Amino acid sequence: MLDAVTAFSRGTRCVYQSGMRRYIFLPILVNLIVYVGMFSFVFNRFDGWLAHWMNMVPTWLDWLSWLIWPLFVISLLVVVFFTFTLVTSFIAAPFYGFLAAKVEVQVTGREPTDDRSLTKTAIDALGRELVKLAYILPRAAGLFVISWIPGVNLVAPLLWALFSAWVMAITYLDYPMDNNKVSFTDMRQRLSKRWWQSLSYGGLITLITWIPLANLFLIPGAVAGAVLMWDAHYRDACHDARNIKPL
C-alpha cells in the first residue's frame, strides 16, 4: 500500500518533471508573496507584541517571566503557522485544484469526474475554502484556550500535533476529492475511515510546512502526493454515514 512518504516523494517528482512545471509557478508565487509579507509583518511588530504581552503579566508573576516568554513565542509561531497555511490555501485554492486535476490525469490516466468550467471551479474552490475555515477555526480557538488552562495544557502539545496533522489532511486531500465531486462531509468521513493514512500524510505535510523557504517549493508536491493518496486509499473507500462520524 502507498505510504505518506512515498506519495509525497512521487508527487514532488511528478510536478517538477517536464510538462508539469508550468502548473506550479503561480502557486509558488502566491506562497512566496504571502510568506514574505507575513514574515515582514511579524518581524516588524514582534518586539511591540512581546512588550505588550509582558506588561499584561501581574507583578507577582514576574518570577515566571522565564516561562511566559517562551510560551508567548511558541503561541505566536503556532498562530503564524496556521495563518500562513490558511491564507495560502485560500488564495491558491483554485491553482491547487487545477494542479491536482492535471496530476490525476498524468499519474492515473483518468480525468476527474468534475465537469465544471474553469471559472466555476475557481469560484467553487474559494467557497470550499470558506467551509474549511468554518470547520477549522472554532476547533483551533478551542485548542488555544485549552493551551492556557493549568494542568489541562500539559496535553496541549499532543493535541496541537494531532490537530495540525488532521488540518493538513483536510487541506490537501480535499483538492482531488473536490475535483471528483466528493462533498466536504463525505471527504471527512473517508478521512476518518482511513485515519492512519490521513494522519500520517497530514503529519508529514505539517513537518514540511515548517521548513523555511523550502516549503514554498514542496507544497505543490504535497498537492500531487494527495492525488496519489486519493487514488490509492480514498477513491473506492466505502463508508456508511450511519456508522462513521466525521471528525
Side-chain angles (χ1 to χ4, degrees):
M1 294 293 287
L2 185 70
D3 62 80
V5 175
T6 302
F8 173 73
S9 61
R10 286 177 55 189
T12 302
R13 290 196 300 270
C14 175
V15 296
Y16 283 102
Q17 68 183 9
S18 178
M20 291 295 295
R21 287 191 290 268
R22 63 180 179 271
Y23 298 120
I24 67 175
F25 172 75
L26 283 177
I28 289 177
L29 180 61
V30 168
N31 290 337
L32 181 61
I33 293 173
V34 174
Y35 185 92
V36 172
M38 186 169 295
F39 178 81
S40 299
F41 179 80
V42 173
F43 181 80
N44 291 330
R45 288 163 176 78
F46 178 80
D47 289 340
W49 287 342
L50 179 59
H52 175 74
W53 185 271
M54 296 306 296
N55 286 335
M56 294 175 62
V57 178
T59 305
W60 61 275
L61 284 179
D62 284 345
W63 64 278
L64 276 179
S65 296
W66 64 272
L67 178 61
I68 295 174
W69 190 90
L71 284 175
F72 170 78
V73 174
I74 293 172
S75 299
L76 180 62
L77 288 175
V78 169
V79 171
V80 170
F81 164 73
F82 270 99
T83 303
F84 172 77
T85 300
L86 296 176
V87 170
T88 55
S89 296
F90 183 81
I91 297 176
F95 306 116
Y96 288 153
F98 184 66
L99 174 62
K102 293 299 179 182
V103 171
E104 186 166 353
V105 174
Q106 177 78 9
V107 301
T108 70
R110 291 191 294 265
E111 292 278 353
T113 58
D114 193 348
D115 56 1
R116 294 172 294 180
S117 67
L118 183 60
T119 302
K120 182 68 164 56
T121 299
I123 295 174
D124 289 350
L126 294 178
R128 184 88 162 200
E129 291 303 309
L130 290 176
V131 173
K132 292 181 191 176
L133 287 176
Y135 173 83
I136 293 170
L137 291 180
R139 291 163 175 79
L143 271 180
F144 185 78
V145 171
I146 289 175
S147 299
W148 293 96
I149 300 177
V152 180
N153 59 5
L154 294 177
V155 299
L158 176 60
L159 295 178
W160 273 113
L162 292 174
F163 181 67
S164 298
W166 180 245
V167 168
M168 290 297 101
I170 285 178
T171 299
Y172 287 91
L173 290 166
D174 185 54
Y175 294 122
M177 294 201 196
D178 187 30
N179 286 342
N180 285 276
K181 298 182 178 179
V182 178
S183 69
F184 185 72
T185 300
D186 189 359
M187 180 268 295
R188 286 160 46 209
Q189 290 174 336
R190 296 187 188 212
L191 295 188
S192 296
K193 185 174 183 180
R194 301 285 192 269
W195 64 270
W196 170 248
Q197 289 84 356
S198 302
L199 291 180
S200 62
Y201 193 72
L204 175 63
I205 303 309
T206 299
L207 294 176
I208 289 169
T209 56
W210 280 93
I211 304 175
L213 294 180
N215 55 9
L216 302 178
F217 302 95
L218 295 176
I219 287 178
V223 175
V227 175
L228 299 176
M229 292 291 288
W230 148 256
D231 191 60
H233 299 291
Y234 304 99
R235 181 187 293 274
D236 299 320
C238 297
H239 65 275
D240 187 342
R242 295 169 300 178
N243 297 327
I244 302 175
K245 184 178 181 180
L247 298 177

